[in-house]
Amino acid sequence: MVEKEFIIENEAGLHARPAAMLIKEASRFQSDILVIRGNKTGNAKSLLSILALGVFKGTRVTVRIDGSDEIAAMYKISKLIESNFSEES
Amino acid sequence: MSSISIEDMLKVLDMEVLYEGKSLSFEIETSDINRPGLQFAGFFDYFAVERVQVIGKVEMTYLDSMHPAVRKERLDQFFSSGIPCVVISRNMEVPQYLIDSARKYGCPVIRSKKATTSVIHRMINYLDSALAPRITRHGVLVDVYGEGVLLMGESGIGKSETALELIKRGHRLVADDAVEIKKVAENRLIGDSPELIRHYMEIRGIGIIDIKAMYGVGAVINNKAIDMVVYLEFWDNNKEYDRLGLTEEYMEILGVKLPKVILPVRPGRNLAIIVEVAVRNWRLKHMGYNAAKELDERLNSMIRQHNSGDLQDS
């Protein structure tokens, strides 16, 4: 299991489009990928559960990945979040 | 220990705030209530300081009858003990000395119009619910024939599609994707949807849909007790699936054991109908009729008859 903390920096937070990008990326991996905000947990492969977290700019979230391809998944997801969800993937 | 927001409590319980305390919220860990009559009389042994303190007519009248100096001393001791909040019932006029003492120690004072016993009941109910253990699970919660069915399984297995078919067949959606589960009693779990995504669903290839707008108000329900879990998984040829239905499987959520049915998914299997059947079957079992057992017994009695017939023949 790997875990990493991020602060969401893009202007609108995790609204529909960035969330969809995160889900797209997460769905490529076998591992279970969770996004944790405070006492709420969202499944990174499910759009609604990520939207339900209500992540704004400046929100601190933890990404927890558990599974066979966790390292690769964390690498890709870190890149996505740190690039503020720019279109490149 | 949980933090209770006074604002939220006022909304639910229809109360008004007389003094908001230090931070508009208070910390509490028990739903028990104390009526501080004995404490006002000067007996502070075993004083339940961790509880909400409810002041009714008796306590208020007693306070009024006390000598001001003694009263001030008792109230000081009362409020300085670290009580979470004070609730006044019956919409009683609250004397300034009470507010002053509360303010000195930053203890919120709240007033209700209801009679004392009713305030206590409602307060306990509210705190039980607010302090209940919670967990968020990935899945879809649907009300099928009045039973709360939690559909679980891997991402992309078809939980939402199954739920959609169930809704089309007249059942009701509680929550899609993220189900917030609350343990409200020893063996009772209530599931609901995060406010933000209530009654929305995600269907791959279409996107996000609003079930309430699409199927009407009869197709949704805000929360529901969870009665069983239906676990969808990809058909595994090497795995033995339950053929008889004589054994029962369970899944534990927040320490509550829920009956669990594992349904293997294969193209062409109409899962919604199978979920309906699973619920009907569970209800039958619950009412004391077990089809597998009945069949087994019928078979056994036939075998017995046959065997005794054999004996007569010989």
Side-chain angles (χ1 to χ4, degrees):
Chain A
M1 190 185 78
V2 288
E3 213 178 88
K4 197 168 164 186
E5 212 175 78
F6 298 93
I7 292 176
I8 300 297
E9 296 284 6
N10 59 316
E11 212 45 55
L14 271 185
H15 68 101
R17 223 163 282 279
M21 289 171 73
L22 175 67
I23 274 89
K24 206 172 110 192
E25 199 60 63
S27 301
R28 292 190 186 146
F29 297 95
Q30 285 283 309
S31 305
D32 287 325
I33 306 179
L34 298 176
V35 178
I36 301 152
R37 186 208 159 192
N39 55 6
K40 286 184 177 172
T41 308
N43 183 331
K45 292 177 187 177
S46 130
L47 185 59
L48 284 176
S49 87
I50 293 299
L51 292 180
L53 293 178
V55 175
F56 315 112
K57 185 185 179 179
T59 305
R60 190 184 294 271
V61 296
T62 306
V63 176
R64 184 183 295 159
I65 308 183
D66 193 5
S68 53
D69 49 7
E70 56 191 32
I71 304 293
M74 184 57 94
Y75 173 72
K76 280 285 194 183
I77 284 170
S78 303
K79 238 175 91 179
L80 181 70
I81 296 178
E82 279 158 6
S83 72
N84 289 338
F85 301 94
S86 62
E87 290 300 326
E88 49 141 42
S89 63
Chain B
M1 185 77 90
S2 276
S3 183
I4 303 277
S5 143
I6 292 181
E7 203 183 337
D8 180 58
M9 191 175 88
L10 297 182
K11 229 186 315 179
V12 177
L13 291 178
D14 185 27
M15 294 174 162
E16 60 171 326
V17 67
L18 300 176
Y19 167 58
E20 69 274 20
K22 269 182 252 164
S23 58
L24 271 169
S25 67
F26 57 87
E27 300 283 321
I28 193 154
E29 58 183 0
T30 166
S31 63
D32 292 340
I33 301 288
N34 183 49
R35 289 189 69 172
L38 275 172
Q39 285 74 45
F40 292 163
F43 186 75
F44 279 89
D45 293 4
Y46 300 108
F47 176 27
V49 292
E50 73 284 358
R51 300 183 185 181
V52 168
Q53 309 288 321
V54 175
I55 298 184
K57 196 160 197 170
V58 196
E59 290 84 359
M60 195 60 99
T61 316
Y62 181 70
L63 275 178
D64 267 336
S65 74
M66 288 168 84
H67 187 278
V70 182
R71 181 169 65 204
K72 188 171 178 308
E73 186 194 316
R74 297 272 161 80
L75 283 176
D76 261 353
Q77 193 172 352
F78 176 65
F79 281 110
S80 66
S81 59
I83 50 173
C85 90
V86 168
V87 177
I88 317 274
S89 64
R90 294 171 159 267
N91 210 13
M92 282 184 294
E93 205 54 55
V94 178
Q96 194 54 41
Y97 58 76
L98 193 71
I99 298 284
D100 287 344
S101 294
R103 187 163 279 146
K104 196 164 154 195
Y105 298 98
C107 171
V109 181
I110 292 156
R111 180 163 67 184
S112 167
K113 290 189 180 68
K114 299 268 186 307
T116 317
T117 318
S118 161
V119 169
I120 292 175
H121 278 301
R122 292 155 61 98
M123 199 76 205
I124 292 175
N125 258 336
Y126 172 77
L127 288 175
D128 268 340
S129 154
L131 298 175
R134 281 154 206 273
I135 192 172
T136 307
R137 279 299 175 94
H138 184 58
V140 188
L141 182 58
V142 207
D143 170 344
V144 181
Y145 300 123
E147 309 287 338
V149 179
L150 182 60
L151 296 172
M152 299 186 84
E154 276 174 55
S155 248
I157 191 108
K159 298 183 292 290
S160 297
E161 287 77 2
T162 305
L164 195 62
E165 173 79 18
L166 283 166
I167 291 161
K168 221 196 99 206
R169 298 173 65 87
H171 304 293
R172 296 184 287 182
L173 173 75
V174 186
D176 181 35
D177 252 6
V179 183
E180 284 182 351
I181 301 171
K182 196 159 75 176
K183 184 180 177 182
V184 291
E186 211 35 66
N187 50 14
R188 193 173 157 82
L189 299 173
I190 301 276
D192 67 3
S193 166
E195 188 70 44
L196 211 55
I197 57 165
R198 179 160 291 156
H199 305 149
Y200 281 97
M201 266 185 120
E202 188 208 349
I203 301 292
R204 259 151 246 219
I206 295 175
I208 288 174
I209 58 172
D210 182 343
I211 294 298
K212 199 169 155 193
M214 217 175 239
Y215 290 93
V217 78
V220 294
I221 180 169
N222 278 353
N223 57 59
K224 180 77 203 161
I226 303 174
D227 299 295
M228 66 186 294
V229 174
V230 171
Y231 192 87
L232 307 181
E233 64 176 32
F234 289 112
W235 195 295
D236 182 352
N237 277 331
N238 299 319
K239 196 174 162 181
E240 284 286 324
Y241 291 103
D242 197 356
R243 301 297 290 264
L244 274 170
L246 277 172
T247 51
E248 270 165 33
E249 282 207 55
Y250 291 93
M251 172 183 255
E252 232 182 74
I253 298 177
L254 291 172
V256 177
K257 255 170 89 179
L258 292 168
K260 171 176 151 189
V261 178
I262 298 175
L263 291 185
V265 176
R266 203 153 61 171
R269 245 189 149 205
N270 186 333
L271 282 175
I273 291 179
I274 297 174
V275 171
E276 273 186 356
V277 167
V279 174
R280 281 175 185 262
N281 199 37
W282 183 79
R283 290 193 73 171
L284 271 178
K285 274 188 195 172
H286 206 63
M287 291 172 182
Y289 182 88
N290 187 329
K293 242 186 219 157
E294 293 290 323
L295 179 60
D296 199 31
E297 266 160 34
R298 206 188 280 182
L299 207 61
N300 277 333
S301 83
M302 236 171 88
I303 292 168
R304 269 198 306 275
Q305 243 173 25
H306 180 81
N307 287 351
S308 60
D310 272 355
L311 284 176
Q312 276 164 11
D313 280 350
S314 60

